[in-house]
Amino acid sequence: QVQLVESGGGLVQAGGSLRLSCAASGMIFSINNMGWYRQAPGKQRELVAVITSGGSTDYADSVKGRFTISRDNAKNTVYLQMNSLIPEDTAVYYCNADIAEVAFMTSNYWGQGTQVTVSS
């Protein structure tokens, strides 16, 4: 059973930084795209950043220049470095990954979410 476990959320003042981590565990043959989404109260879940297995990245316009996504393929882990945080970044952040448990059979997985709160 594949699991994604996030860590690193918390409360931070505006202008501060946080680093989120998400580790995949279980029966894993390969991991393709990994990404971070967030959902603020009363809003739809939105893509924050995504990274391919080859290291290509893409970001939501609202976080470009402030957030950096990276991954350690040896550890099956994806990171989100968040700098210059603003109150509008407050949300539950979810890890997402396309994981193949066996060759050519990929499924999409979600983590349980971690709360990020930015105070003004």
Side-chain angles (χ1 to χ4, degrees):
Q1 183 76 12
V2 172
Q3 284 189 317
L4 298 177
V5 179
E6 300 122 334
S7 61
L11 174 64
V12 64
Q13 287 189 331
S17 298
L18 283 174
R19 188 192 194 208
L20 305 183
S21 300
C22 171
S25 63
M27 181 184 294
I28 297 172
F29 176 79
S30 66
I31 303 178
N32 299 322
N33 291 355
M34 303 185 82
W36 291 94
Y37 289 71
R38 67 186 181 186
Q39 187 167 19
K43 295 188 176 181
Q44 289 189 330
R45 190 173 298 188
E46 63 176 359
L47 175 67
V48 176
V50 63
I51 184 167
T52 68
S53 56
S56 297
T57 60
D58 198 14
Y59 298 90
D61 287 343
S62 60
V63 307
K64 282 181 181 177
R66 300 188 298 120
F67 291 10
T68 302
I69 189 170
S70 61
R71 63 191 285 173
D72 184 333
N73 291 330
K75 296 182 178 179
N76 292 333
T77 299
V78 62
Y79 306 96
L80 185 68
Q81 178 66 44
M82 305 185 293
N83 299 328
S84 302
L85 284 160
I86 59 178
E88 289 76 13
D89 295 320
T90 295
V92 178
Y93 284 71
Y94 296 91
C95 176
N96 180 269
D98 293 322
I99 298 175
E101 295 182 58
V102 296
F104 309 115
M105 292 185 66
T106 300
S107 298
N108 187 255
Y109 294 89
W110 290 93
Q112 80 284 358
T114 185
Q115 177 69 46
V116 171
T117 302
V118 184
S119 63
S120 57

